[in-house]
């Protein structure tokens, strides 16, 4: 019942965000499905429903996954967790892949080849990152509450966290690493009326899980500030971006504040990332928008991900390739999974890629 409840909870949120319906148009790998997209850029305002600062239009890259079979999330594909591996390829997860189909994949930006990395019968991965401690993939299983580890080539699979943390089952969503490879994970529980979500820290080897923060409403995205002194955590069900200050030893939070908020309507804050200037890029799931704030809380840009109005897309997560000004976005929906890209306001750093190289 616990697993079913978790699936249905997120499914309800996704379906509310997508309002899936209408005929799907399946593009080829080289077609740009945004060609007939709406290009209205007239709105302004400091909210997810308006515009603030400059508008950055994302470009289509490729279709990287087919439409998955119907699932508790609806008849759609949900891609998540982009991160660059040591081979320079873009790794990502397919949350809705059918049993036995690839759950972790990698994409060659040059050849546009999609390469399976790991398949299984039961997992539902919602994020993936590379640890700076051992260079391995760590993937959060939203369905089972586990965190799994494997080599970039798919070998050496093992589970590093399973079972309750502090007496309660985990719903691990996103993951980030500090310089030493210690893991910081959002535990996707809670609503504004019952804020039970948490931020959990684990040592680099996956041991000693410790609750750093509770009382959150569906914590989702998590990213370090450029100097690793703070952590940005988004609350899916509250439309707010929290900044938690780390103690010098990195094992506790000494302060927390609400940094930014947005009017998200039926939608929610999904994953986030930061660039070298400390700007925060926040995905608003169920919309075509990624909001970009500076560290002072100013909405300085809105990234739009164009797509045909006949299709429903699920913009979920992004990674900035370290040392470049290019971000790559995972986008799912009712016609499969896609990758988009856009030019960022500052270069990518390890935190932009989940703590990887």
């Amino acid at each position: 019942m616990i697993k079913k409840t978790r699936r249905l909870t997120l499914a309800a949120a996704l379906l509310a965000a997508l309002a899936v319906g209408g005929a799907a148009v399946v593009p080829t790998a080289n077609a740009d499905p945004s060609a007939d997209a709406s290009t209205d850029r007239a709105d302004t305002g400091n909210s997810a429903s308006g515009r603030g600062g400059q508008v950055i239009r994302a470009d289509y890259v490729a279709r990287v996954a087919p439409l998955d079979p119907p699932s508790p999330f609806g008849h759609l594909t949900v891609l998540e967790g982009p991160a660059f591996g040591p081979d320079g390829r873009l790794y990502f997860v397919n949350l809705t892949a059918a049993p036995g189909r690839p759950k972790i994949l990698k994409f060659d930006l040059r050849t546009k080849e999609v390469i399976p990395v790991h398949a299984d019968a039961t997992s539902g991965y919602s994020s993936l990152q590379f640890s700076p401690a051992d260079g391995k993939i760590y993937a959060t299983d939203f369905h089972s509450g586990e965190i799994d580890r494997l080599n970039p080539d798919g070998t050496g699979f093992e589970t590093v966290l399973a079972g309750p943390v502090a007496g309660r089952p985990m719903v691990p969503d996103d993951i980030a690493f500090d310089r030493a490879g210690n893991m910081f994970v959002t535990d996707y529980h809670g609503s504004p009326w019952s804020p039970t979500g948490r931020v959990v820290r684990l040592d680099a080897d996956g041991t000693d899980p410790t609750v750093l923060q509770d009382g959150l409403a569906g914590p989702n995205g998590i990213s370090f500030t450029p100097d690793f002194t703070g952590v940005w955590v988004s609350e899916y069900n509250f439309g707010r971006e929290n900044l938690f200050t780390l103690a010098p030893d990195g094992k506790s939070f000494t302060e927390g504040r609400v940094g930014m908020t947005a009017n998200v309507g039926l939608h929610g804050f999904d994953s986030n990332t930061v660039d070298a200037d400390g700007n925060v890029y926040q995905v608003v799931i169920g919309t075509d928008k990624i909001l970009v704030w500076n560290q002072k809380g100013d909405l300085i840009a809105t990234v739009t991900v164009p797509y045909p109005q006949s299709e429903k897309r699920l913009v979920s997560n992004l990674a900035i390739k370290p040392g470049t000004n290019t971000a790559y976005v995972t986008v799912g929906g009712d016609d499969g999974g896609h990758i988009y890209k856009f030019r960022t306001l500052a270069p990518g750093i390890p935190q932009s890629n989940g703590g990887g190289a």
Side-chain angles (χ1 to χ4, degrees), residues 31-77:
D32 181 355
S34 66
D36 65 344
S38 170
T39 57
D40 180 10
R41 298 292 180 264
D43 295 335
T44 59
N46 190 22
S47 71
S49 59
R51 311 293 183 192
Q54 64 176 294
V55 175
I56 302 170
R57 179 185 168 101
D59 297 318
Y60 186 74
V61 176
R63 186 173 189 257
V64 295
L67 176 62
D68 291 328
S71 73
F73 299 99
H75 195 187
L76 51 91
T77 298

Side-chain angles (χ1 to χ4, degrees), residues 149-170:
R149 174 173 60 201
L150 64 160
N151 296 318
D153 63 2
T155 63
F157 180 91
E158 58 184 329
T159 297
V160 298
L161 176 70
V165 171
R168 203 179 71 199
M170 285 277 289

